[in-house]
Amino acid sequence: MLINVNTWASVLHGALLVAGVGFVLCLKLLASPRTARQGNAIGALAMLLACGATLAQAQPDVGAIRAMLVAAAAGAVVGVITGRRVHMTAMPQLVAVFNGLGGAASVFVAGGELVRWGGHAGGALQLNPIGEIGPALALSAWAGAWVGGLTFSGSLIAFGKLQGLLSSQPVCIPKGRIAVCLTLLLLLGAGGAMVIAPKSLLLFGIVVVIAEILGILLTLPIGGADMPVVISLLNAYSGLAALACGFVVNSPLLILSGSLVGASGIILTRLMCQAMNRSLANVVFGAFGAATQQTSGQDGKEMKEFSPLDTAMLLRNAERVIVVPGYGLAVSQGQRAVREIADVLKQQGTQVVYAVHPVAGRMPGHMNVLLAEADVPYDDLLDLEAVNPEFLHTDVTLIVGANDVVNPAARDDPSSPLAGMPILHADKSRAVIVFKRGKGRGFAGVENPLFTADNAHVVFGDAKQSLTAVASHLKQL
Amino acid sequence: MLINVNTWASVLHGALLVAGVGFVLCLKLLASPRTARQGNAIGALAMLLACGATLAQAQPDVGAIRAMLVAAAAGAVVGVITGRRVHMTAMPQLVAVFNGLGGAASVFVAGGELVRWGGHAGGALQLNPIGEIGPALALSAWAGAWVGGLTFSGSLIAFGKLQGLLSSQPVCIPKGRIAVCLTLLLLLGAGGAMVIAPKSLLLFGIVVVIAEILGILLTLPIGGADMPVVISLLNAYSGLAALACGFVVNSPLLILSGSLVGASGIILTRLMCQAMNRSLANVVFGAFGAATQQTSGQDGKEMKEFSPLDTAMLLRNAERVIVVPGYGLAVSQGQRAVREIADVLKQQGTQVVYAVHPVAGRMPGHMNVLLAEADVPYDDLLDLEAVNPEFLHTDVTLIVGANDVVNPAARDDPSSPLAGMPILHADKSRAVIVFKRGKGRGFAGVENPLFTADNAHVVFGDAKQSLTAVASHLKQL
Amino acid sequence: MDPVAATHFVMQLYVLVLSALIGLEVIAKVPVLLHTPLMSGSNAISGIVLVGAITLGCGAESSLARLLANGAVFLATVNVVGGFVVTDRMLSMFRKQTPKARDGQKGSEGKT
Amino acid sequence: MDPVAATHFVMQLYVLVLSALIGLEVIAKVPVLLHTPLMSGSNAISGIVLVGAITLGCGAESSLARLLANGAVFLATVNVVGGFVVTDRMLSMFRKQTPKARDGQKGSEGKT
Ligand SMILES: NC(=O)c1ccc[n+]([C@@H]2O[C@H](COP(=O)([O-])OP(=O)(O)OC[C@H]3O[C@@H](n4cnc5c(N)ncnc54)[C@H](OP(=O)(O)O)[C@@H]3O)[C@@H](O)[C@H]2O)c1
Ligand SMILES: NC(=O)c1ccc[n+]([C@@H]2O[C@H](COP(=O)([O-])OP(=O)(O)OC[C@H]3O[C@@H](n4cnc5c(N)ncnc54)[C@H](OP(=O)(O)O)[C@@H]3O)[C@@H](O)[C@H]2O)c1
């Protein structure tokens, strides 16, 4: 009988360890296109296993189980519905929200453990049956509180900016740097106090509040377009918050997973910055200094306007066409109109391909998702290296809501803020037609000489509307 | 004061953890040619750090320190001298010996800990101050004993075979399989007994003896040429023995490093097998079944003999020459004679390159080391893919003690034991000259049709002597 | 700290450091295409704090602690379930594209 | 096992499994050229049992245990020192070859 109990306990411990290995496997598989979906499924299974084993291990009373099941069921419903319903283009803000919730959960867990310490020693303090809370434990609760709190408020700001609830412009907080330093100092002080009085709920609450403020201070000055990077960073933080909670509730699985996600999240953030040719420091602290944007020398040239009919006629006579989709296409949701045009052109024997820049749009892989939604065959999507030599032999390049990714200044002008970013050489094609609403700039806020070039014409207006007009003209011609 | 003691203890724990990370880094860097040497240095530093921190942690009395320092100094002297003096070609057997010593050390450590258990509980049992030894601990000691013991005897046999002290032929032990199964059963039984009586030195001794026998039983039937794989496998085992000791002496660093080396060693063994186109099971259990070697159909053709003078004359008129070095070159130590010939040929304007097959010789990278020793410029060493297209335009190919790696049967005859191994297409060159002592076969024991081909001639005799003769003729011609 | 707790803390640090090393190693080279799904997938994993919430909920006796635990369970479940669902949805769209890189290049070669 | 020892054992298992995962990950792709040095290098690391021997030697009181400890220190030191020395010697020879693969190919391209 004793052996049975022991065996069962071992099985549960083993199950938790297996779940940890599952998370490692999940990340590993997620990092390769062929296996990514499998990896995600393995991660979900591992999570289920971890929850089941934890429940079995703790053997809670029926009341507790019922309450938790209700909470979990409600959470699952909300999760599934939002996860299913949300628009593909709203993905970054969704991840931001989820992230924030995770951070908040960490705060709750650390706080709840603190409440228990205040009551009497149990559960997590098995190892320390005297009930005295050592500095390591106190500091873990502190870290869980502030990292989790910062993740929560930071994620909500990020969500607000991406969703358009807040201005997506970088907000320059007066004396922002000083305020950040001050809150950091306060946090450190509160940490010291928590070591001395680890059971004080008041202290804990103060830490959480300061952390929320810090999250806002840090995120508000960052422009909406940089948000994917910020979200990735906050994602790493939410891992670190879970890690801290792992020490608080004494769970090696939490430590494992939190550390895993924290480390890989930081690397991923770096990779994302590299893909956008920015440094992380620049993203996070860029707006603190001067939020003014460069208004580089306009060379006095004006954009030449084109009507949808002009465009349709030009396309009728083209043999090779390349479509360059960008952020504006996502905004206007015009991907189906694009495909319609491509279909008509293909029927008349024109070759049509899409040039997909890795950081076109506002999240990595944005254009791939968008075009996949409109059933564009994947054979037609060419990446940077494949498509760049093609522009030379191309009659018409359609630039649909893209800007920075086709800015020749990135290639030709070493003083441009974009300098060094690989671009699509759309300017090399015989004719360029740009779909945009007005004289708006791209994410980098830089003038684009391509739009005023001799071979370029602009169709003003919302991309979806202009494209639909072009398509109907094409069909009538 | 108390804080100081605590801080110091933390520093030491931290140092051990850093050492563990150092080992990870060491392996990572060792896996890439550019950084390998650095990685090795980092590993050595990490080991130093680990030993220092352990000593500082345990604070032994002066007598113990002195004895250990003497032992370590003696060990270091022996290690440096053998490490420096040994011939490059004797590398595999050297690694085997070191490996065996590590295994033996694991046995000693596990045994010593057992002796302490017999005395009174201390050190490693901090966590279990009752002095009762749980099954986990007992089984760890058991595992350390048998894995370490097996590593020791297996490594010594491997050494004996490679050094020529034992016949390098696979020895077919009558009823070998049954004997192995029996010893395994005995080991399991002894393990059970050790759980019941963990402090019994007699039991421990029995386990060690059985393990030694098992090591011999497992290694003796394996042919000398397969030894590099066996050594790599035993290397993984010595890691696992250290891992077991980690549980015995309760050292997370030992667990980390042992597990790291064990896992990577097993992967490395697999990679080595793949490079030789063999399966691990085939290597380990191959000889248990039939040790008879295939005497495949001789097609009645005879080798055509050539004298060194003939060879020299042929080379005089050659424009492109490829040298294919193999195991026989290592045996005869004729690498300098090869370079001499190449020097003369280059002076007369002949192009000379070396075709280095990945598994030529008896250890991976064998030929690279050998030719580097003779100061052959590395630009002249071409690997399989680079050199194979060249044979077609080559006048003379010199095959120096190579056999299997140029056996066209591997390419043409699907029933050949070599089938599937990528080979050097030496047979495609205009003339082939083979340096070998007689009608001996290569490692795989297969007839080589190349040697009796129409365009092939054989210079019989020890490679070094024949090559020296060729070189002197060349200079006189 | 008493020695038992200290030893335990050291082991926790080993787990922390080793997991971080794995995290660094695994995400060495990811194609840009997968950055977003990888982000949302690892975000789902960081909802592992759900396990902490369950542990808390099972051991808590005060109603405040229970409240916090149930709140944490709710929030973390949204994070976990939503994260995995959304990642799967994203990847199911990529799936059509998966052979893209290869085919895309082939296509362009053919055209050149 | 009492709960403290059991918890500790679980932590040890985490360290074991995580280290093994790192070991598997790190040796994913090694060029054949490096198999031998990698083998001897990791052989030197497995001499880490030296640390175990030192622990034993510091805590042992019976002369038998001390004898075993000192023997183990000797053997493990030979393993460690010899292993690192020989690996370094091997790698110092490879160093000359390092750019081999690249140059070799360049060379052959030039010739074709
Ligand atoms: N992919 C990522 O992961 C990621 C993440 C963060 C930042 N970024 C950055 O985002 C930029 C992406 O470049 P991009 O070329 O795709 O976009 P972009 O440079 O941001 O330019 C978007 C263009 O679309 C136009 N536009 C906006 N709404 C439109 C609508 N409804 N109809 C038609 N046009 C519309 C805008 O001009 P008007 O206002 O005149 O219409 C603007 O010129 C890069 O600088 C990249 O570094 C990318
Ligand atoms: N590289 C590795 O890591 C490794 C490890 C284990 C096994 N292997 C295996 O070893 C084989 C290597 O192929 P290989 O072509 O290098 O060698 P091989 O096939 O073993 O052939 C060696 C040849 O050298 C001749 N020879 C021996 N001593 C000689 C001497 N003193 N002077 C002149 N010739 C001499 C032998 O013929 P005579 O007896 O007639 O002289 C024999 O034909 C492969 O099958 C490989 O799979 C490689």
Side-chain angles (χ1 to χ4, degrees):
Chain A
M1 193 57 209
L2 194 88
I3 288 185
N4 275 346
V5 171
N6 258 336
T7 315
W8 181 231
S10 312
V11 168
L12 293 179
H13 277 301
L16 290 175
L17 182 48
V18 168
V21 176
F23 293 141
V24 171
L25 206 62
C26 166
L27 276 194
K28 195 174 154 57
L29 297 179
L30 269 177
S32 146
R34 271 191 315 106
T35 54
R37 210 171 170 194
Q38 241 171 292
N40 190 54
I42 289 179
L45 281 181
M47 189 61 81
L48 211 65
L49 182 66
C51 292
T54 307
L55 265 180
Q57 219 171 27
Q59 295 180 312
D61 57 81
V62 184
I65 281 212
R66 195 177 297 152
M68 284 194 289
L69 279 186
V70 169
V77 168
V78 174
V80 169
I81 291 180
T82 44
R84 282 255 176 94
R85 287 266 170 90
V86 72
H87 238 285
M88 269 299 144
T89 45
M91 212 53 85
Q93 46 265 57
L94 189 69
V95 175
V97 174
F98 287 160
N99 216 10
L101 299 185
S106 294
V107 174
F108 281 24
V109 170
E113 241 358 273
L114 212 81
V115 172
R116 283 177 75 199
W117 297 348
H120 69 312
L125 295 174
Q126 292 143 332
L127 272 178
N128 202 348
I130 316 141
E132 189 201 304
I133 288 127
L137 218 50
L139 285 177
S140 304
W142 169 73
W146 78 259
V147 181
L150 179 156
T151 305
F152 177 69
S153 64
S155 297
L156 286 200
I157 298 284
F159 169 76
K161 290 207 168 204
L162 286 172
Q163 191 68 12
L165 303 177
L166 295 170
S167 152
S168 78
Q169 281 307 101
V171 176
C172 188
I173 302 170
K175 308 228 189 281
R177 257 172 227 241
I178 296 174
V180 167
C181 291
L182 216 74
T183 39
L184 281 176
L185 276 180
L186 278 175
L187 273 181
L188 279 181
M194 275 185 74
V195 170
I196 299 165
K199 298 178 188 174
S200 159
L201 271 184
L202 179 67
L203 255 177
F204 185 86
I206 291 176
V207 170
V208 173
V209 171
I210 302 176
E212 303 293 355
I213 295 174
L214 182 61
I216 297 173
L217 282 179
L218 284 176
T219 329
L220 217 48
I222 301 176
D226 270 337
M227 278 306 146
V229 177
V230 173
I231 292 170
S232 171
L233 192 62
L234 288 172
N235 181 30
Y237 284 175
S238 77
L240 297 180
L243 166 64
C245 284
F247 282 92
V248 175
V249 303
N250 184 23
S251 156
L253 176 60
L254 243 73
I255 297 178
L256 185 162
S257 325
S259 179
L260 184 71
V261 171
S264 64
I266 285 169
I267 291 289
L268 182 60
T269 310
R270 261 180 52 116
L271 289 177
M272 286 176 74
C273 284
Q274 278 167 8
M276 292 199 291
N277 198 33
R278 305 199 59 181
S279 84
L280 187 55
N282 191 319
V283 169
V284 176
F285 296 114
F288 274 128
T292 52
Q293 289 185 332
Q294 197 201 2
T295 338
S296 76
Q298 286 140 313
D299 47 7
K301 276 177 146 186
E302 282 292 319
M303 299 189 203
K304 299 176 289 294
E305 195 171 343
F306 236 39
S307 74
L309 184 60
D310 299 334
T311 311
M313 293 202 308
L314 196 64
L315 287 174
R316 260 287 173 239
N317 300 315
E319 278 178 24
R320 290 157 179 267
V321 171
I322 295 182
V323 179
V324 179
Y327 177 58
L329 182 66
V331 173
S332 75
Q333 287 293 315
Q335 58 266 38
R336 284 185 190 280
V338 168
R339 217 215 47 217
E340 240 177 273
I341 295 179
D343 286 349
V344 179
L345 290 178
K346 281 185 176 178
Q347 271 171 20
Q348 76 177 28
T350 305
Q351 202 185 68
V352 184
V353 294
Y354 299 79
V356 178
H357 190 282
V359 297
R362 284 297 177 271
M363 64 180 187
H366 205 160
M367 292 304 128
N368 301 70
V369 172
L370 212 65
L371 296 173
E373 260 191 326
D375 288 319
V376 172
Y378 56 71
D379 292 354
D380 293 356
L381 309 187
L382 301 191
D383 56 18
L384 207 72
E385 287 88 44
V387 82
N388 263 341
E390 304 288 319
F391 281 110
L392 270 174
H393 324 292
T394 297
D395 300 312
V396 183
T397 295
L398 300 178
I399 295 184
V400 191
N403 189 338
D404 295 345
V405 299
V406 291
N407 192 333
R411 186 189 55 208
D412 305 330
D413 176 6
S415 74
S416 160
L418 287 172
M421 178 163 108
I423 59 152
L424 294 164
H425 302 326
D427 55 329
K428 307 270 188 200
S429 66
R430 249 154 257 149
V432 173
I433 300 185
V434 183
F435 294 84
K436 68 201 304 278
R437 295 164 310 178
K439 301 196 170 177
R441 297 197 185 140
F443 151 59
V446 181
E447 215 50 69
N448 190 338
L450 171 64
F451 297 163
T452 52
D454 296 333
N455 59 342
H457 290 85
V458 179
V459 181
F460 288 109
D462 179 77
K464 186 178 186 175
Q465 286 170 13
S466 311
L467 289 166
T468 318
V470 171
S472 66
H473 284 304
L474 258 183
K475 284 179 193 154
Q476 285 158 17
L477 274 177
Chain B
M1 195 57 209
L2 196 88
I3 289 187
N4 275 346
V5 171
N6 259 337
T7 315
W8 181 231
S10 313
V11 168
L12 293 180
H13 277 301
L16 289 175
L17 182 48
V18 167
V21 175
F23 292 142
V24 172
L25 206 62
C26 166
L27 275 195
K28 196 173 153 57
L29 297 180
L30 268 177
S32 145
R34 270 191 317 105
T35 54
R37 213 174 166 191
Q38 241 172 290
N40 189 55
I42 289 179
L45 281 181
M47 189 61 80
L48 212 63
L49 182 66
C51 292
T54 307
L55 265 181
Q57 220 171 27
Q59 296 180 312
D61 58 80
V62 184
I65 281 213
R66 196 176 300 152
M68 284 194 288
L69 279 186
V70 170
V77 168
V78 174
V80 169
I81 290 181
T82 45
R84 283 257 174 93
R85 288 266 172 90
V86 72
H87 238 283
M88 269 298 145
T89 44
M91 212 54 86
Q93 46 266 57
L94 189 67
V95 175
V97 173
F98 287 160
N99 216 11
L101 298 186
S106 295
V107 173
F108 280 25
V109 170
E113 229 18 82
L114 211 82
V115 172
R116 283 177 74 199
W117 298 345
H120 69 310
L125 295 173
Q126 290 145 335
L127 272 179
N128 202 351
I130 317 141
E132 190 201 304
I133 288 128
L137 218 50
L139 285 178
S140 303
W142 169 73
W146 78 259
V147 180
L150 179 155
T151 305
F152 177 69
S153 64
S155 297
L156 286 200
I157 299 283
F159 169 76
K161 290 208 168 204
L162 287 172
Q163 191 69 12
L165 303 177
L166 295 171
S167 153
S168 78
Q169 281 307 101
V171 175
C172 189
I173 301 171
K175 308 233 188 295
R177 259 171 224 242
I178 298 176
V180 167
C181 291
L182 215 74
T183 40
L184 280 176
L185 275 181
L186 277 176
L187 272 181
L188 279 181
M194 273 185 76
V195 170
I196 299 166
K199 298 178 191 172
S200 159
L201 272 183
L202 179 68
L203 256 176
F204 185 85
I206 292 177
V207 170
V208 173
V209 170
I210 302 176
E212 304 294 354
I213 294 174
L214 183 61
I216 297 173
L217 282 178
L218 285 175
T219 329
L220 217 47
I222 301 175
D226 268 337
M227 278 306 145
V229 177
V230 173
I231 293 171
S232 171
L233 192 63
L234 288 172
N235 181 30
Y237 285 175
S238 76
L240 297 179
L243 165 64
C245 285
F247 282 93
V248 175
V249 302
N250 182 26
S251 156
L253 176 60
L254 244 73
I255 297 179
L256 185 163
S257 324
S259 179
L260 184 72
V261 171
S264 63
I266 286 169
I267 291 289
L268 182 60
T269 309
R270 261 180 51 115
L271 289 177
M272 285 176 73
C273 283
Q274 279 167 7
M276 292 200 291
N277 198 35
R278 304 200 60 180
S279 84
L280 188 54
N282 191 320
V283 168
V284 176
F285 296 114
F288 274 128
T292 53
Q293 290 184 334
Q294 198 200 1
T295 338
S296 78
Q298 287 140 311
D299 47 7
K301 276 178 149 188
E302 282 293 318
M303 299 188 203
K304 297 176 288 298
E305 194 173 343
F306 236 39
S307 73
L309 183 61
D310 298 334
T311 310
M313 292 198 314
L314 196 65
L315 287 175
R316 260 290 172 236
N317 299 315
E319 279 177 23
R320 290 157 179 267
V321 171
I322 295 183
V323 179
V324 180
Y327 177 58
L329 182 65
V331 173
S332 75
Q333 288 291 315
Q335 58 267 36
R336 283 184 191 280
V338 168
R339 217 215 48 218
E340 238 175 276
I341 296 179
D343 287 348
V344 178
L345 290 177
K346 283 185 174 174
Q347 271 171 21
Q348 76 177 27
T350 305
Q351 204 184 67
V352 184
V353 294
Y354 299 79
V356 178
H357 191 283
V359 297
R362 285 297 177 270
M363 64 180 188
H366 204 158
M367 292 303 127
N368 301 69
V369 172
L370 213 63
L371 295 173
E373 262 193 325
D375 289 319
V376 171
Y378 55 72
D379 292 353
D380 292 355
L381 308 188
L382 301 190
D383 56 19
L384 207 72
E385 288 87 45
V387 82
N388 262 341
E390 304 288 320
F391 282 110
L392 270 174
H393 325 291
T394 297
D395 301 311
V396 182
T397 297
L398 299 179
I399 297 184
V400 190
N403 189 338
D404 296 344
V405 299
V406 292
N407 192 334
R411 184 189 57 208
D412 306 330
D413 176 7
S415 74
S416 160
L418 286 172
M421 176 164 109
I423 57 152
L424 294 164
H425 301 326
D427 55 329
K428 307 271 187 199
S429 64
R430 249 153 260 152
V432 174
I433 299 186
V434 183
F435 294 83
K436 68 201 303 278
R437 293 165 310 178
K439 302 199 169 175
R441 296 196 186 141
F443 151 60
V446 182
E447 215 50 67
N448 191 336
L450 170 64
F451 297 163
T452 52
D454 295 333
N455 60 341
H457 290 86
V458 178
V459 181
F460 287 108
D462 178 76
K464 186 178 185 178
Q465 287 169 11
S466 311
L467 289 166
T468 319
V470 171
S472 66
H473 283 305
L474 257 182
K475 285 178 193 156
Q476 285 158 17
L477 274 176
Chain C
M1 270 196 275
D2 65 308
V4 169
T7 311
H8 187 68
F9 184 62
V10 168
M11 296 305 283
Q12 291 177 320
L13 286 185
Y14 272 81
V15 172
L16 189 166
V17 169
L18 290 172
S19 308
L21 286 178
I22 295 181
L24 297 182
E25 195 63 32
V26 161
I27 311 297
K29 276 196 169 173
V30 205
V32 177
L33 183 68
L34 287 178
H35 283 181
T36 302
L38 190 60
M39 181 167 83
S40 78
S42 67
N43 173 36
I45 296 181
S46 73
I48 183 70
V49 74
L50 175 55
V51 163
I54 294 175
T55 310
L56 174 65
C58 293
E61 265 126 34
S62 78
S63 54
L64 175 57
R66 291 219 159 178
L67 193 71
L68 284 171
N70 290 329
V73 167
F74 171 75
L75 296 174
T77 309
V78 176
N79 182 355
V80 166
V81 174
F84 282 123
V85 166
V86 104
T87 309
D88 186 67
R89 232 183 99 203
M90 239 185 290
L91 290 172
S92 74
M93 306 212 129
F94 282 125
R95 229 167 45 150
K96 286 160 116 190
Q97 330 281 110
T98 306
K100 187 218 95 186
R102 234 179 315 128
D103 291 17
Q105 279 178 341
K106 235 187 264 159
S108 76
E109 272 163 30
K111 275 160 216 154
T112 334
Chain D
M1 270 199 274
D2 67 308
V4 170
T7 312
H8 187 67
F9 184 61
V10 168
M11 295 306 283
Q12 290 177 320
L13 286 185
Y14 272 81
V15 173
L16 189 165
V17 169
L18 291 172
S19 308
L21 286 178
I22 296 181
L24 296 183
E25 194 64 31
V26 161
I27 309 296
K29 275 196 169 173
V30 205
V32 177
L33 184 68
L34 287 178
H35 283 182
T36 302
L38 190 61
M39 182 168 83
S40 77
S42 67
N43 174 36
I45 296 180
S46 73
I48 184 70
V49 73
L50 175 55
V51 163
I54 294 175
T55 312
L56 174 66
C58 295
E61 265 127 31
S62 78
S63 55
L64 176 56
R66 291 218 158 178
L67 193 70
L68 286 171
N70 292 329
V73 168
F74 171 73
L75 295 175
T77 310
V78 176
N79 182 357
V80 167
V81 174
F84 283 122
V85 165
V86 104
T87 309
D88 186 69
R89 233 185 98 201
M90 240 183 292
L91 290 171
S92 72
M93 306 211 128
F94 281 126
R95 232 177 32 160
K96 286 159 115 190
Q97 332 279 113
T98 307
K100 188 217 96 184
R102 233 181 312 131
D103 290 17
Q105 278 178 342
K106 232 187 266 162
S108 77
E109 272 164 30
K111 275 159 220 155
T112 332

